[in-house]
Amino acid sequence: MKLGSVSPDEVMMENFTYQQPKTLEKAVGNSGRFIAGGTTLVDLMKLGVETPTVLVDVNALPLAQVEPLPHGGLMIGAMVRNSDLANHPRVKESYPVLSLALLSGASPQLRNMATTGGNLLQRTRCPYFRDTAYAACNKRNPGSGCSAMEGHHRMMAVLGTSSSCIATHPSDMCVAMTALDAVIHIEGAKGKRTVAIGEFYKMPGDTPNIENVLEAGELITHVELPPPSGNKQIYLKLRDRASYEFALASTAVVAKVEGGHIRSVRVVMGGVGTKPWRSHEAESVLLGKAANLGNFEKAAQAALKDAKPHPGNAFKVELARRCVVRALKMATA
Ligand SMILES: Cc1cc2nc3c(=O)[nH]c(=O)nc-3n(C[C@H](O)[C@H](O)[C@H](O)COP(=O)(O)OP(=O)(O)OC[C@H]3O[C@@H](n4cnc5c(N)ncnc54)[C@H](O)[C@@H]3O)c2cc1C
Ligand code: SF4
């Protein structure tokens, strides 16, 4: 049966085994998928982009809690819905950059379904990836080429691209989590491990089909946020319309300013990179310097200096530069 020609219900009934999570990693194997909110996965199955043989429903797992940690951090279960996380009192109070980023994403209905784990693993919105009529897509079909190179570039990345893929990482939440130095907790057949979010996503290189360090069957169980340090935080998102739209450029800033000088800072960009794009270059321009417009502009320049735009997204370099400057002004005001 061709996936694109049937309803999701039929797909579930006729093509897939729908299992309760007992031995999760064994059940999902190489060709299966966990399903959480389903807002990415079901779309891609209907489009015929994802064709899992088995779906393992993780909704019943006891991972829907946001728990304070003894040292002051926060442990977020992978099944916590985006709406619940955005509106959690501790998140609003101590990690506002995360709340702002979540609330800028998708729509209220989608946020009510989307989960923390699923958001981390959402796939790119590259139209050539999502449309199987385009044969050439190295991410969907390794070695087939890249239709986007000579196609529409407006939503494509300008940082971290390769000759194989220029797809943008679409998540808002992950940009904020990168600025907060989040740590991802993973469990699989080999046991438990943790990975800093900065090490979690892979650059496309020659293998854009490999997007992160998860191994087949591994489950994300939690995301840990370090203790808040009283930093100022902002998430600024620029997009084609005010709601229900992915970022053309966004910036998360987490900064500590003392005596008018920047004592610590994280600058992470969304909408422009092949992964949530932390700019170490911008941060080193800012560290120890006065929090003023001149330094913000130098930092933004540094953040975009390696950008490799295509004709249809050259505007993004200036847009992202302005986004960084504005976010720094807002965060340090
Ligand atoms: C119309 C639309 C607009 C959107 N706009 C935005 C936007 O502006 N900004 C934004 O950031 N996002 C946006 N999104 C994306 C949305 O945030 C994601 O679809 C959502 O976060 C995915 O979460 P989910 O729980 O539904 O994932 P699912 O669809 O259930 O899963 C996604 C992937 O994650 C895997 N997975 C899920 N949970 C786990 C786990 N615990 N461990 C291991 N693997 C797991 C699944 O196997 C699958 O591969 C939009 C989506 C839509 C449909
Ligand atoms: S940019 Fe990446 S995802 Fe898009 S068509 Fe090219 S290879 Fe596929």
Side-chain angles (χ1 to χ4, degrees):
M1 183 183 296
K2 195 168 174 299
L3 286 179
S5 65
V6 295
S7 76
D9 285 350
E10 287 173 298
V11 171
M12 298 290 181
M13 296 289 291
E14 295 182 26
N15 279 23
F16 300 106
T17 317
Y18 207 71
Q19 305 192 23
Q20 285 302 306
K22 288 181 186 160
T23 49
L24 289 175
E25 64 289 328
K26 200 171 162 198
V28 79
N30 284 323
S31 54
R33 288 280 184 280
F34 296 120
I35 184 161
T39 62
T40 285
L41 185 55
V42 173
D43 267 8
L44 292 177
M45 286 168 62
K46 285 195 272 184
L47 293 167
V49 174
E50 292 258 20
T51 55
T53 51
V54 174
L55 288 181
V56 176
D57 185 351
V58 290
N59 281 275
L61 293 177
L63 298 174
Q65 308 299 321
V66 179
E67 290 163 312
L69 293 168
H71 63 32
L74 216 55
M75 192 68 98
I76 302 161
M79 291 307 304
V80 174
R81 306 286 163 179
N82 287 180
S83 308
D84 294 336
L85 187 57
N87 293 308
H88 192 279
R90 271 292 304 278
V91 174
K92 287 177 91 163
E93 186 191 324
S94 304
Y95 306 96
V97 65
L98 179 56
S99 183
L100 289 168
L102 283 161
L103 293 175
S104 77
S107 65
Q109 294 84 350
L110 281 157
R111 295 195 294 268
N112 285 342
M113 287 304 294
T115 62
T116 305
N119 197 323
L120 285 164
L121 295 177
Q122 63 173 289
R123 312 289 307 273
T124 183
R125 309 304 287 195
C126 171
Y128 308 101
F129 169 74
R130 292 172 64 85
D131 187 343
T132 56
Y134 291 93
C137 173
N138 288 320
K139 191 182 278 294
R140 178 165 34 81
N141 185 10
S144 61
C146 172
S147 300
M149 293 291 175
E150 304 301 324
H152 292 285
H153 306 130
R154 185 171 177 77
M155 297 302 287
M156 299 298 169
V158 295
L159 287 164
T161 56
S162 71
S163 56
S164 298
C165 182
I166 55 173
T168 310
H169 193 277
S171 172
D172 294 297
M173 180 193 83
C174 300
V175 175
M177 284 187 171
T178 304
L180 291 168
D181 290 328
V183 174
I184 300 172
H185 290 239
I186 297 165
E187 195 164 341
K190 294 181 196 155
K192 297 181 181 183
R193 63 188 179 119
T194 56
V195 180
I197 193 166
E199 309 294 319
F200 184 74
Y201 296 105
K202 293 199 168 186
M203 302 273 268
D206 295 333
T207 53
N209 53 310
I210 303 171
E211 296 176 351
N212 55 58
V213 301
L214 269 192
E215 289 177 16
E218 280 191 314
L219 180 78
I220 294 174
T221 58
H222 299 88
V223 175
E224 180 181 349
L225 299 182
S229 48
N231 293 333
K232 296 188 170 191
Q233 305 178 11
I234 197 76
Y235 185 75
L236 178 64
K237 177 174 177 178
L238 308 180
R239 48 190 155 167
D240 278 331
R241 58 184 175 193
S243 169
Y244 205 46
E245 186 56 276
F246 290 88
L248 282 167
S250 72
T251 307
V253 174
V254 176
K256 182 170 243 172
V257 181
E258 283 170 349
H261 284 70
I262 298 172
R263 298 299 172 209
S264 70
V265 65
R266 289 280 182 281
V267 179
V268 185
M269 292 181 282
V272 289
T274 50
K275 62 178 196 170
W277 200 263
R278 179 173 169 194
S279 178
H280 295 278
E281 296 86 351
E283 291 170 13
S284 45
V285 167
L286 292 165
L287 208 56
K289 304 277 173 41
N292 62 33
L293 185 59
N295 286 328
F296 299 162
E297 283 176 347
K298 280 184 202 157
Q301 209 68 42
L304 274 306
K305 76 174 170 31
D306 293 329
K308 290 191 175 55
H310 282 69
N313 65 3
F315 73 96
K316 271 193 174 188
V317 179
E318 179 60 13
L319 189 73
R321 202 190 62 73
R322 292 184 189 198
C323 189
V324 170
V325 172
R326 181 76 183 272
L328 284 165
K329 276 164 82 174
M330 291 166 78
T332 56

